[in-house]
Amino acid sequence: MTRMSFVLPCVPTPQARARHTVRGGHSVTYKSEQQEANERTLDALLARHAPEVPLSGAVFLEFRALFPPPKSAGKKARAAMLRGTEAHTKKPDLDNLTKQLKDAMTRLQFWNDDRQVVRLVCEKRYGEPGRWEVCVREMPEA
């Protein structure tokens, strides 16, 4: 059973919505420059952890997205955030973080298709430095 755990040293970013415009009378869908830059950063950090052969069975993905407290937070609020007694209820949404990470791991062939992820445990919270903490496991066969 394959198991990988690693830390990606960057502030987590969400999957942004696709943009739409009309060019030459045709509707065009595209990603923002910021989204493409975020994807390139995540791909570069994930690449060294990608397996030589994609996982082929059911996959359990667990991750924690840690965000630095805002600079405007006072000493007490900052301490509460880092202690975990103040939850990270601000943007980005947890589901958009999940989409960003799963899409990147699919691009880098951690698995053949993200539908193989049958169990997902995820959390967002405050922490320094900002980072992704990721664990991927193949589920044992029944």
Side-chain angles (χ1 to χ4, degrees):
M1 181 168 73
T2 303
R3 179 191 164 122
M4 298 171 264
S5 294
F6 48 88
V7 174
L8 305 173
C10 66
V11 176
T13 58
Q15 178 75 34
R17 295 191 189 280
R19 307 260 176 161
H20 305 279
T21 190
V22 176
R23 289 188 190 142
H26 301 304
S27 177
V28 178
T29 302
Y30 66 98
K31 294 179 183 177
S32 70
E33 288 182 27
Q34 184 63 52
Q35 176 63 31
E36 288 186 355
N38 292 341
E39 288 178 8
R40 283 192 301 273
T41 299
L42 191 55
D43 287 357
L45 293 170
L46 275 169
R48 70 174 143 235
H49 302 288
E52 289 183 26
V53 176
L55 302 176
S56 59
V59 175
F60 171 31
L61 173 62
E62 182 175 3
F63 76 86
R64 181 177 294 133
L66 291 107
F67 296 88
K71 294 188 186 323
S72 61
K75 254 186 172 177
K76 284 184 180 180
R78 181 182 184 77
M81 290 172 182
L82 294 174
R83 223 180 12 255
T85 54
E86 185 172 328
H88 189 290
T89 57
K90 309 289 185 223
K91 287 185 177 186
D93 293 354
L94 190 55
D95 56 334
N96 292 334
L97 292 166
T98 301
K99 182 86 172 123
Q100 178 86 316
L101 184 62
K102 282 177 59 184
D103 285 355
M105 294 177 84
T106 301
R107 278 193 304 276
L108 292 167
Q109 295 285 290
F110 276 78
W111 43 68
N112 295 308
D113 192 289
D114 60 3
R115 68 176 173 234
Q116 290 173 247
V117 178
V118 298
R119 185 167 182 213
L120 176 66
V121 175
C122 51
E123 172 185 25
K124 68 175 185 167
R125 61 182 304 156
Y126 291 104
E128 286 186 322
R131 63 194 180 275
W132 296 90
E133 296 175 351
V134 183
C135 180
V136 182
R137 291 181 267 196
E138 275 186 308
M139 299 287 287
E141 304 242 352

